[in-house]
Amino acid sequence: MDSTSQDQGKVEIKRVCCFLCHVRCGLLATVENGRVVKLEGDPNNPHNKGYVCDRIKQDRWKDWQYSPYRIKRPRKRVGERGSGQWQEISWDQAFDEMADRLAKLRDKYGAETLAFTEGTYRTYNSLHYKFTNLFGSPNTGGAGTICYSSDMWLEPVTYGGFASDKSDWPNSNCIVLWGRNVAASECLLWDWVQTNRHERGAKLITVDPRFSEAARCADIHLQLKPATDTALALAWINVIINEKLYDEDFVKNYCIGFDELKTRASEWTPERAAEVTWVPAEKIIAAARMYATTKPACLPWGQKGSDALGFNSGDAIRAKAILRSITGNIDIEGGDKLSPPSKFPPAFFEHAALPQEQRDKMIGNERFPGLTFKGWDEISVAFPGFYPYSNAPLLFRAMATGDPYPVKALIVVANNPMVCFSNTKIVHEALKNLDTLIVHDYFPNPTTALADYVLPAATWLERPDVAYPTMDHEAVTFMASARVQQRFEGGHDVDYRDDYEFWYGLASRLGQGDSWWGPKAEGMLDFMVSPMGVNFEKFYSDIKYAVAPSIFQKYKKEGWHFLTPSGKVELSSTLLKKMGYDPLPQYYPPKISAESRPDLAEKFPLIMITGARFMPFYHSEHRQPGAFRNLHPDPIFDIHPETAMDLNIADGDWCWIETHMGRIKQRAKTTTIVDPRVVSVQHDWWFPEREEAEPSLYGLWQSSINTILDDDPETLDQLMGCWQQTGLMCRIYKVEDDN
Ligand SMILES: Nc1nc2c(c(=O)[nH]1)N[C@H]1C(S)=C(S)[C@@H](COP(=O)(O)OP(=O)(O)OC[C@H]3O[C@@H](n4cnc5c(=O)[nH]c(N)nc54)[C@H](O)[C@@H]3O)O[C@H]1N2
Ligand SMILES: Nc1nc2c(c(=O)[nH]1)N[C@H]1C(S)=C(S)[C@@H](COP(=O)(O)OP(=O)(O)OC[C@H]3O[C@@H](n4cnc5c(=O)[nH]c(N)nc54)[C@H](O)[C@@H]3O)O[C@H]1N2
Ligand code: SF4
Ligand SMILES: [Mo]
């Protein structure tokens, strides 16, 4: 399946999975002489059925895959950290030196001195656990805390499995996009919504402070005040209970804690919620009725209306889980399917290899236990292959200060911490204070700029995979993805390695070799598909796609029970109570808001959303000059025309966006998609065309909103550790003097 020099002169069509976003469409690659010349949707792929978004359709991927900006060979820092002085070295030298440094640090400080961060699960996702567990460190952290993983933990707390990532979009009669705008974030899913609406007439409800692309197609759009989601959800629960719109049979037979829930929800009349959320009471009632009475309905996961809320994140996640439950939409066709416990073999994670005394050292264990080993141990029956996270804000503080112990080494794979985490100043201090920073990526970026070793990653066109979409409506879909692009282009001095080879290279030099599957990813993939009685090559040629059939209403089966402590859906959670937390959701204003910080309210009168997705960028990616950046040369924030007029700001003006942490600048776009009291600021901006060395770091400090967002532990969700990315406070003024 590899495209090698033997392929000279051949034109072939091969199947490959797109990893440009986590939807993961199946593609057909036209390969000429080992080089991909065309990508199009694979019509036989059961997941996307030929669909592709503009990133592929408009050939924009070519300016990414073939970008002259890519890292070509391993580099080692030779000057001061961040000085932009590098020496190119071989992979062997890099592996030898990195392994040597990590081993010495382990001897000096203990294995917990090594940390790892990840981002959007864009590669072989569990290998960092395997490596760090075998190394002896519990400190794997990343963006998951504010993306997905908190839901992956709190939903099982409620119903013993994860359901919001397996909503049955195509078969639902009512889809609720709550803090989700798949029209710009997961385009295939938007295609499912549109097809369903046009062919089956599904209703669409959107809950979004912006009048987003999805909102424009909605039957009911609730334009709420940012970060008041839990109040709104509690009011829906109030309406659904008071009007007896809940599924009485399901609640009676399969749930516990209904009376306590009823008491809590009674505090949240639509009128009270209207004051908090800005949404008129009649609209709250109409939406709650539509959701509860249109069967089946689904309420898929959304990052902004839950994980991004900071202090109130966990409550919002729980409130939505309760909505799915009391309406009886859990695990039914057209509702939110309950995933079975993960069947990934423990060999991918090696969690058992980490001794308890090391687990106990995980940073965040005490303060924000939800996502740490401690929290996962509580729900291990529901989720045996689990995803523990060190809390990132605490992890960076440990790197910066040595408290509670020195964290002196960091490995970063498929993540860009200098751009993606809040409070970049702390991240910067942290990375500057490391002994060893290792980054494996496609492109140089503000994080690689601070590294000791920068390793060039092979793209998903250059690596094989058994890929599975992270957002799907099927129980599980697997697809074979061939390595279609030749890695070593004739005449070009490049030496890319995929993520498996990266981990294996390090692991084998640190005595872990026997626990891995040999030097190439194919060994791991053979192991992965072996339960199907084939090797990877056979899987690619014969099986191609594997879809597990969905089994609905498992709870009706004799002897089956929800994988919660009580065996029922826990509307009031016995586990949260045992852990000392409120067993029911409650609304609290975010810690960074006029309500919580009256001292800042006058100075920072506008409410700020950050990071609403837009095409075709993906987080901090695609800023390199070329077919992506041409569409968005500059960072932009949305502001209502009346507010702009009050502030004497014209469309296109460069403006300062200031918070209590500092200021950045972006260009104003005047638009009525935001309320006059709200602005929406793009995230993750940096400028690959600018200087790499400090203090520039590719112009990072100019426009990246995360440089002026707070991650003070007091402001985080106190169980999950989520930091706040919306409902924030800022002021805006025109840049008059651009010095
Ligand atoms: N203010 C604000 N901040 C946010 C958000 C927000 O809404 N507002 N959103 C947050 C969310 S939800 C997330 S998930 C994070 C994401 O944050 P990040 O994970 O930092 O996301 P990316 O910028 O996509 O960075 C991924 C890096 O991985 C590299 N990469 C991609 N694929 C591979 C691969 O296969 N192998 C290797 N080795 N490298 C690869 C890319 O080149 C890129 O440099 O950002 C968060 N940050
Ligand atoms: N183009 C593009 N696509 C992406 C990404 C990307 O960076 N770019 N990132 C990927 C990743 S990692 C993720 S996690 C997903 C996220 O996917 P989504 O959750 O769909 O992404 P967002 O656009 O961040 O948020 C959705 C909507 O929430 C709204 N919103 C903002 N604040 C609030 C609030 O307080 N409450 C409510 N209810 N809504 C609010 C925003 O206005 C936005 O329209 O997107 C993925 N897809
Ligand atoms: S929607 Fe995502 S996975 Fe599908 S083609 Fe576009 S970028 Fe690739
Ligand atoms: Mo995310």
Side-chain angles (χ1 to χ4, degrees), residues 637-665:
F637 70 98
D638 290 339
I639 182 166
H640 193 279
E642 283 165 19
T643 314
M645 207 180 321
D646 284 348
L647 297 171
N648 197 27
I649 289 168
D651 198 60
D653 278 350
W654 280 98
C655 296
W656 291 110
I657 299 161
E658 186 176 328
T659 70
H660 64 290
M661 306 278 289
R663 65 180 190 176
I664 58 150
K665 58 187 177 184

Side-chain angles (χ1 to χ4, degrees), residues 181 184-185 207-208 210 227 229 303-304 613-614 617 619 726:
N181 178 28
S185 64
V207 181
D208 195 319
R210 295 187 315 135
D229 297 79
Q303 197 256 349
K304 284 292 178 304
R613 311 308 192 227
F614 59 101
F617 289 171
H619 293 296
T726 188

Side-chain angles (χ1 to χ4, degrees), residues 18-21 23-25 27 51-53 55-56 187-188:
C18 177
F19 275 73
L20 283 179
C21 86
V23 162
R24 299 190 191 158
C25 297
L27 307 179
Y51 175 87
V52 285
C53 74
R55 295 182 179 115
I56 299 295
C187 303
L188 169 65

Side-chain angles (χ1 to χ4, degrees), residues 22 119-121 143 146-148 301 303 613 618-619:
H22 46 210
T120 57
Y121 322 118
I146 45 83
C147 181
Y148 214 59
W301 170 82
Q303 197 256 349
R613 311 308 192 227
Y618 201 81
H619 293 296

Side-chain angles (χ1 to χ4, degrees), residues 590-610 657-662 677 679 705 708-710 724-732:
K591 288 288 176 190
I592 306 164
S593 65
E595 291 80 359
S596 305
R597 294 293 307 267
D599 55 315
L600 298 176
E602 206 177 320
K603 186 164 181 199
F604 303 108
L606 290 166
I607 299 177
M608 179 168 63
I609 298 168
T610 72
I657 299 161
E658 186 176 328
T659 70
H660 64 290
M661 306 278 289
R677 295 161 284 188
V679 291
I705 191 65
I708 58 163
L709 297 194
D710 208 344
Q724 188 185 335
Q725 298 170 323
T726 188
L728 297 149
M729 312 167 80
C730 75
R731 70 173 175 139
I732 307 269

Side-chain angles (χ1 to χ4, degrees), residues 118-120 122-123 143 146-147 303-304 413-417 420-421 440-443 445 457-458 463 499 610-613 618-621 683-684 705-706 709 725:
E118 70 168 359
T120 57
R122 302 282 292 297
T123 170
I146 45 83
C147 181
Q303 197 256 349
K304 284 292 178 304
V413 175
N415 176 222
N416 188 356
C420 93
F421 294 104
H440 184 237
D441 203 301
Y442 305 138
F443 291 95
N445 63 36
R463 69 170 183 240
D499 302 65
T610 72
R613 311 308 192 227
Y618 201 81
H619 293 296
S620 69
E621 289 181 60
H683 75 312
D684 278 7
I705 191 65
N706 284 325
L709 297 194
Q725 298 170 323

